[in-house]
Amino acid sequence: MQFSFCSSFLALLFATDTALGSPLHTCYPFSVKDSHNVPRKWSRVGPASAEHPITLNIGLKQEKFAELERHLYEVSTPSHARYGKHLTTEQVNALVAPSRDALSQVHDWLQDQGIDSAKLSYTPAKDWISVKLPVKTIERLLNTNYSVFKHEDGTHLVRAPAWSLPTHLHKHIDTIQPTNSFFRPNARRSTLKTVKPIAEIAKEPARMVSNALKSSKDLTVAQACNTSAVTPTCLRTLYGTIDYVPKVPGKNQVALNNYLGEANNRSDVSIFLQRFRPDAVSAAQTFTVKIVNGGDNQQTPDNATQLAAGKDLEGNLDAETILGIDYPTPLTTYNTGGMPPFMADANTPTDTNEPYLTWLQYVLAQKNIPQVISSSYGDDEQSVPFSYAKSVCNQFAQLGARGVTFLCSSGDDGVGASGKCFTNDGKNTSTFLPSFPDGCPYVTSVGATKNFNPEVAAFDPRNNFASGGGFSNYFQRPAYQNTVVPAYISSLGTQFSGLYNKTGRGYPDIAAQGQRFVTIWNGTVVLLDGTSASTPTAAGILTLVNDALIAAGKSPLGFVNPALYSGLYKSFTDITSGSAIGCNSTGFPAKTGWDAVTGFGTPYFPSVSAAALNGTNSTGVYYKRR
């Protein structure tokens, strides 16, 4: 539907002209740019306060993104002459910058609407424009209506399911958020919870603790690992890093993300390291914290409300896991604020930002970025509009082009949380629920395993945690998956037909242990399940692979998927048992080769590092860990 700005808002022009301080003089034909159905977990409460402030992010079309993608694959494919020659910040920015015409026309539009240019801020490439405005101004700007929406867990968002633009700007603007994206970067701990009372874990067999502190050369996997409680010594023994001493800490770095008020409690991390990695205790006080948009870094004891919410369970798990594997490699944590809960009955408006986008804009503006970033946060793909998903995905491509490996957790509900597996298009059709950002072809998605000899796809009947896996409905299968994914789909036959997109990007790509992780939280020991555990584990191992590469004068892995699918997978341990249980079904099964529950399996550091250093895997078959 198309309409004229002048005819629709003539009365408003006279009423607001003086208040805005600038005449609204241009007539625009408007039409809807984007709309997205409200996800099933959300319900409308009422209109948003007119004065509620929102930091609006305007994503302009990146003029040369196709060229950036070409560069990304060339520098990430081992057989290409440019492999490992990652782009500089300036080179990436030049490729994602909007055209001068696009920038000029968007500026003219904003000026015509009385938006003071001095209030605008930009990413270095100027592909994103940000401005903080009250709801009433944004509603006029986008011809929309914002409402307060309540999630089934009691939290709230301020969103507008549909929004419009002048038709001449449709080709210049890809997305504007927060508008119709209901994406929340949820910690992959919807089922990540204590699986045994703290009083009982304190009575674990002495062998679990004593073996965790023994010299690495004294232990086999059977001796170091206990299915009831996974420790750093187990992980380092199982994945072959325990005898490796990092050679270039500082040149090589690793990072993790915190959202939703999460932080990494130094006291808890210190207790953890004292017990399970004594030589690394100093790291609890020296890891770097980057506060993004008012992110949390609380180091005082949690109050009763925070304890009830499990604040910092996720943050502590991530930091303790990475430091337990990677010490003394420097760790950076990005603590990003800007997320609700926004309480609908609050008199004082709360800024409802979109933190995932905020973090990406922040980190891409940095000159130097850690070579591996672990992110244990995601949501159902259908909670976000495609325009938003595509824009965020394209930013992950920028990270990859600059030589960064971005790992994200594949989810804790298998193919979807049972009882929730319906489409969001108003038809309520039964479907598996793919995860975001796992479906983005420029990230590396990590599933979870349990047990040790052999490892199997993770599933815990005590809390229904199951390694997530599936196929995107937004992103088509990338070329690097064409050699393996079609065969897997063919092996399924008609099983699950109609419940998933057979041509979509399959995930996860790899897996790692993710069940019953020992974590120190609030000064006590808890056991946690989740791909929130497997992702920092995989990040820790790939960080050490980077250490070996950099020490040898080579480039870091960067965007690892093209290398993974073209042969590096042969250095992983194949997982052939278990499935992505969910949606009241067994879910996608683990099989020989790539599968949609554990990807190519788990990384064994000696073989992965050797293959990466050699640029190939000479065995021609999967590595079989002894």
Side-chain angles (χ1 to χ4, degrees), residues 85-97:
K85 297 177 181 179
H86 301 118
L87 276 61
T88 65
T89 306
E90 293 74 19
Q91 288 172 326
V92 170
N93 288 343
L95 292 170
V96 300

Side-chain angles (χ1 to χ4, degrees), residues 57-333:
N57 294 284
I58 304 171
L60 278 65
K61 182 177 179 60
Q62 298 170 337
E63 188 176 25
K64 299 178 181 178
F65 179 79
E67 188 175 345
L68 172 74
E69 186 181 45
R70 176 178 62 81
H71 284 288
L72 170 66
Y73 281 114
E74 287 180 358
V75 302
S76 304
T77 302
S79 61
H80 199 279
R82 294 183 60 208
Y83 179 61
K85 297 177 181 179
H86 301 118
L87 276 61
T88 65
T89 306
E90 293 74 19
Q91 288 172 326
V92 170
N93 288 343
L95 292 170
V96 300
S99 68
R100 291 183 180 180
D101 181 52
L103 198 58
S104 175
Q105 292 199 42
V106 171
H107 280 156
D108 289 346
W109 167 60
L110 294 173
Q111 183 177 8
D112 285 340
Q113 303 309 303
I115 308 300
D116 185 354
S117 61
K119 295 182 178 179
L120 305 180
S121 60
Y122 303 84
T123 55
K126 292 190 174 182
D127 54 331
W128 288 89
I129 300 174
S130 298
V131 59
K132 192 170 186 176
L133 299 168
V135 160
K136 63 182 180 182
T137 301
I138 301 175
E139 288 183 334
R140 172 177 53 79
L141 190 69
L142 303 180
N143 188 43
T144 189
N145 292 296
Y146 276 82
S147 298
V148 176
F149 292 88
K150 183 178 181 179
H151 191 270
E152 60 186 19
D153 67 7
T155 57
H156 297 75
L157 282 178
V158 174
R159 292 294 185 264
W163 52 279
S164 300
L165 282 177
T167 53
H168 73 285
L169 293 181
H170 281 220
K171 64 182 179 181
H172 296 311
I173 294 176
D174 286 335
T175 189
I176 297 179
Q177 295 296 340
T179 50
N180 55 359
S181 172
F182 287 78
F183 172 69
R184 302 187 307 167
N186 295 312
R188 295 304 199 183
R189 59 181 179 89
S190 56
T191 56
L192 188 159
K193 60 187 72 173
T194 304
V195 294
K196 195 168 189 178
I198 293 172
E200 290 185 31
I201 184 61
K203 300 176 183 178
E204 280 290 339
R207 181 175 68 84
M208 185 272 285
V209 177
S210 61
N211 280 352
L213 304 179
K214 279 186 179 180
S215 169
S216 60
K217 296 179 180 179
D218 296 336
L219 302 177
T220 63
V221 171
Q223 293 171 330
C225 293
N226 185 325
T227 56
S228 65
V230 174
T231 67
T233 296
C234 171
L235 296 173
R236 295 170 68 209
T237 304
L238 178 67
Y239 295 133
T241 70
I242 197 147
D243 287 324
Y244 183 80
V245 178
K247 301 178 178 65
V248 287
K251 287 186 179 180
N252 185 42
Q253 300 184 43
V254 62
L256 64 86
N257 281 342
N258 289 312
Y259 297 103
L260 302 173
E262 286 289 298
N264 317 96
N265 187 275
R266 292 186 187 274
S267 175
D268 285 340
V269 175
S270 179
I271 295 170
F272 178 87
L273 294 174
Q274 286 173 13
R275 189 170 184 183
F276 299 111
R277 185 79 195 265
D279 62 314
V281 170
S282 62
Q285 306 304 324
T286 59
F287 66 82
T288 300
V289 178
K290 299 287 188 181
I291 302 299
V292 182
N293 192 36
D296 184 85
N297 189 30
Q298 178 182 329
Q299 296 298 324
T300 55
D302 290 346
N303 59 38
T305 300
Q306 292 171 327
L307 289 173
K311 177 180 171 5
D312 296 345
L313 271 172
E314 176 66 57
N316 286 3
L317 169 64
D318 289 350
E320 291 167 9
T321 300
I322 289 176
L323 290 174
I325 295 172
D326 280 347
Y327 176 80
T329 304
L331 168 67
T332 296
T333 73

